[in-house]
Amino acid sequence: MLPITAFEGREQRGCAVLPALVFVLAAIGSSPVFGQGAFVPGPAPTSVPTPIDINSEIASGAQVLDLGGSFLERLGNQAAGGFGRALRNNPGGGGASEAVEGPRFRSWGEVYGLSLTTGPQADFLGDRRQTLGGVVGFGAGIAPGVNVGFSVDQSHTAIDVPLAIQSATIDLTQLGFNASVDKGPWTWAIALVYGFGNVGSSRDTGQGLALAGYGTQLYGALTELNYYWDLQQSRVVPKLDFEYVRATTGAFQETGGLNPVSATGATLERARVLVGAEIGHYWIFDRNVLDLSAYGKFVDNFSQSFSSVVVSLGPQAIAVQGILESQYGADTGASASLSLGNMTRIYLNYDGKFRSALQSHQGTLGFEARW
């Protein structure tokens, strides 16, 4: 009978343990730590755009503005440059009478290269820009002392933003008009520009390239007043210029890569005054004229604006401010020109721009025919 009693005791203890085990398992199942809630994933983190995402677009807008200003200044120099004024006043060349009637029409062609670098500014990491372009133009003297000209500038720019692993290209067409009026030693000139083109950008996201394309336009005007101080075969020409340029870039949506962003368009405006002088000297041999000149100008960018660009990635959006030139700076340049009689001329120009966070160097080779 004793073994049966022991077995009955063990059965009674097992029956007592079973309800306790069920209770413990039920408590564990309802725990917020061990229950089903512990394995439900939370919302995925949302990616946020950064100002660096559009560094190449910021650089592109600034470059369009700079190209417009550069073309305006070349048009102004075509209309009011000291050597051109000397040719208009003495078309027969050195020693000829100023009463000799010179050619009424002229055409010209140019090729140029431009290199520009900018340093870091706030969220902009700095960039390098290379531009190659060509110009063709036609001009005429429509009245004594009154001259007009029309020209077309076609350029291609490559932009590299190495620290942001971004790049961009700009294909820009500019239409220009200039005019000048000579009155005694004074010359007043104007230049007008309208430009349009396309921008393509590329951003390395680490998981492919994010690409975008959009349009751009620009408008600009320049006026110059100068005084021609004749010193035999030398000259000094003080100059006062006012320049205004406005550029716009279109909105875009990137495609490809990781987290492609979209951005609104931007509007850039700049107005400045340039004060300086040109000095030059020419030599005559066999009715050919070799002219060397140089200029320097103080630049005051008294008004600049760059509208904020709204950059979006999904539901997240930020506003990004563009880059501006320093208020003060200097422009300088030099020119060598060889006139073969009074009908043809070849010339080589250098133009440099110097700001606190920007340097630009441009070389131009040109040919002019008169008839």
Side-chain angles (χ1 to χ4, degrees):
M1 299 298 296
L2 184 57
I4 295 175
T5 303
F7 175 80
E8 289 177 350
R10 287 194 295 270
E11 184 179 24
Q12 292 174 356
R13 287 194 298 270
C15 293
V17 170
L18 184 58
L21 181 59
V22 172
F23 176 81
V24 171
L25 291 175
I28 291 176
S30 63
S31 168
V33 176
F34 296 98
Q36 184 178 3
F39 300 98
V40 176
T46 302
S47 297
V48 178
T50 70
I52 296 175
D53 290 342
I54 61 165
N55 266 198
S56 66
E57 283 74 20
I58 295 296
S60 298
Q63 180 68 2
V64 171
L65 196 72
D66 290 338
L67 289 173
S70 177
F71 189 36
L72 273 175
E73 290 161 22
R74 298 202 313 275
L75 286 171
N77 188 59
Q78 280 273 356
F83 184 63
R85 168 62 186 267
L87 286 179
R88 294 194 295 270
N89 286 349
N90 192 7
S97 168
E98 293 192 7
V100 174
E101 183 179 357
R104 291 188 56 193
F105 304 101
R106 63 191 177 94
S107 60
W108 66 92
E110 297 176 346
V111 292
Y112 65 88
L114 182 150
S115 175
L116 184 149
T117 59
T118 59
Q121 302 179 46
D123 295 312
F124 182 73
L125 303 182
D127 72 310
R128 298 189 297 264
R129 310 172 200 168
Q130 305 287 333
T131 299
L132 292 175
V135 179
V136 293
F138 171 80
I142 59 176
V146 181
N147 298 273
V148 297
F150 304 88
S151 58
V152 179
D153 181 317
Q154 181 67 50
S155 65
H156 176 81
T157 299
I159 299 174
D160 182 28
V161 190
L163 295 182
I165 322 179
Q166 298 175 28
S167 62
T169 59
I170 305 171
D171 290 297
L172 185 68
T173 300
Q174 298 185 77
L175 309 177
F177 167 81
N178 61 6
S180 65
V181 178
D182 300 328
K183 186 68 173 179
W186 294 94
T187 296
W188 173 70
I190 62 169
L192 304 173
V193 163
Y194 167 67
F196 56 92
N198 295 295
V199 182
S201 66
S202 173
R203 180 169 62 93
D204 191 338
T205 66
Q207 296 186 24
L209 298 178
L211 306 176
Y214 50 95
T216 184
Q217 289 186 325
L218 72 91
Y219 307 85
L222 176 144
T223 184
E224 176 177 307
L225 181 66
N226 68 47
Y227 183 89
Y228 189 95
W229 186 10
D230 190 357
L231 302 172
Q232 298 299 319
Q233 292 179 209
S234 299
R235 64 186 180 275
V236 177
V237 188
K239 298 170 178 278
L240 174 63
D241 297 75
F242 172 80
E243 176 189 307
Y244 171 78
V245 186
R246 182 179 189 271
T248 60
T249 58
F252 66 87
Q253 169 66 61
E254 289 183 330
T255 59
L258 176 66
N259 294 329
V261 301
S262 62
T264 59
T267 299
L268 303 82
E269 292 183 288
R270 180 173 64 212
R272 59 189 178 192
V273 171
L274 302 92
V275 181
E278 171 194 336
I279 58 172
H281 184 86
Y282 64 87
W283 295 264
I284 306 164
F285 55 96
D286 298 330
R287 294 185 63 83
N288 300 320
V289 181
L290 173 64
D291 182 89
L292 300 179
S293 64
Y295 72 87
K297 294 180 180 180
F298 169 76
V299 180
D300 180 3
N301 295 307
F302 63 88
S303 177
Q304 296 186 84
S305 66
F306 193 129
S307 65
S308 296
V309 178
V310 178
V311 185
S312 302
L313 177 57
Q316 303 295 323
I318 59 172
V320 179
Q321 187 64 44
I323 58 174
L324 304 174
E325 284 189 7
S326 57
Q327 180 175 353
Y328 302 115
D331 289 357
T332 186
S335 177
S337 171
L338 178 62
S339 295
L340 306 174
N342 66 342
M343 305 301 288
T344 59
R345 180 171 72 100
I346 58 175
Y347 53 93
L348 181 65
N349 299 338
Y350 163 77
D351 299 284
K353 301 180 184 298
F354 302 90
R355 310 291 187 264
S356 63
L358 177 151
Q359 284 194 15
S360 171
H361 306 277
Q362 178 171 321
T364 303
L365 175 64
F367 174 82
E368 181 181 77
R370 295 172 177 263
W371 67 94

